[in-house]
Amino acid sequence: LPPPGCLWAQRPKHIILSIQLTDVKDPIIKVEPSKLYFKGAGGTEMKMHEVEMEFFKNIDVEKSKYAVRPREVSFVLEKVEEGPYWDRLLAAKVKQPWLRVDFKNWKDEDDDEDEGQGQDLEEMMRQMGGLGAGGAGAGAAAAAAASGAGPQIGTKGYQRPSLDDLDIEDEEDDMPDLE
């Protein structure tokens, strides 16, 4: 049986592994401290695939998880020893054509965990019109006001709201005077 395509990435504490097979039906999955076994039918032609991976180092089976999803089978495998990145996923040094690095989830060992998240936040803000669009936003408001679309500030002058009807007197009595 042919092995399914697999992607992997790692962090100091765990391995992120995905078996790239869609619509997997009744898979046989065995996760052991030193290896993972998968057998299942999937893909457009519902062909059987099978793979056994002997890991470079051991994983903690109890803390590891997996999920059979419509587009893939995802694993988060907890490393027994937290710390330096593994040299490779498999014990064998031979490059496997069915196993590739998952660059979407990859972080280099010396990268700060938060570094990428900051960039993602900036990108999200940009898409929402936040960061980087401040100047344009202020200009657009001024243009709308000048064209009559926005509130007219210049013609009658800006009126401050009256605060006379707010009941604040009672709370302020307890405050000492500022010196």
Side-chain angles (χ1 to χ4, degrees):
L1 292 172
C6 299
L7 296 176
W8 81 288
Q10 66 177 317
R11 300 284 192 283
K13 293 186 186 112
H14 53 266
I15 298 289
I16 302 163
L17 175 74
S18 64
I19 294 175
Q20 301 292 296
L21 199 56
T22 57
D23 305 317
V24 174
K25 299 283 179 263
D26 307 319
I28 299 166
I29 298 169
K30 293 180 190 147
V31 180
E32 297 173 31
S34 63
K35 64 185 172 193
L36 182 142
Y37 174 80
F38 169 87
K39 183 178 181 180
T44 49
E45 298 168 17
M46 279 303 184
K47 286 186 178 167
M48 284 301 286
H49 292 269
E50 182 178 39
V51 68
E52 184 169 61
M53 300 178 213
E54 190 82 30
F55 295 129
F56 180 68
K57 290 185 178 174
N58 283 359
I59 59 157
D60 187 331
V61 178
E62 296 297 312
K63 292 181 183 172
S64 297
K65 303 179 185 77
Y66 70 85
V68 179
R69 298 201 164 101
R71 302 196 59 77
E72 65 182 17
V73 182
S74 306
F75 296 84
V76 176
L77 307 170
E78 192 87 16
K79 295 178 181 178
V80 169
E81 301 168 31
E82 179 185 344
Y85 274 19
W86 294 2
D87 296 350
R88 55 190 178 276
L89 177 64
L90 305 178
K93 283 189 175 181
V94 183
K95 180 158 174 42
Q96 301 295 341
W98 49 266
L99 182 64
R100 298 192 316 267
V101 169
D102 183 355
F103 288 106
K104 181 170 52 95
N105 285 313
W106 190 268
K107 268 197 173 50
D108 285 330
E109 195 167 1
D110 49 7
D111 280 356
D112 289 344
E113 287 280 330
D114 304 334
E115 195 174 294
Q117 292 167 343
Q119 292 164 343
D120 292 350
L121 182 66
E122 279 184 40
E123 183 58 35
M124 188 174 79
M125 293 291 278
R126 240 191 303 283
Q127 289 168 357
M128 291 166 53
L131 282 176
S147 69
Q152 293 293 316
I153 296 172
T155 54
K156 295 179 188 157
Y158 178 69
Q159 299 295 314
R160 281 203 166 164
S162 168
L163 302 177
D164 297 339
D165 55 342
L166 296 176
D167 301 329
I168 308 176
E169 304 94 9
D170 300 331
E171 291 115 36
E172 289 182 4
D173 295 344
D174 303 327
M175 298 292 286
D177 291 337
L178 294 175
E179 294 178 14

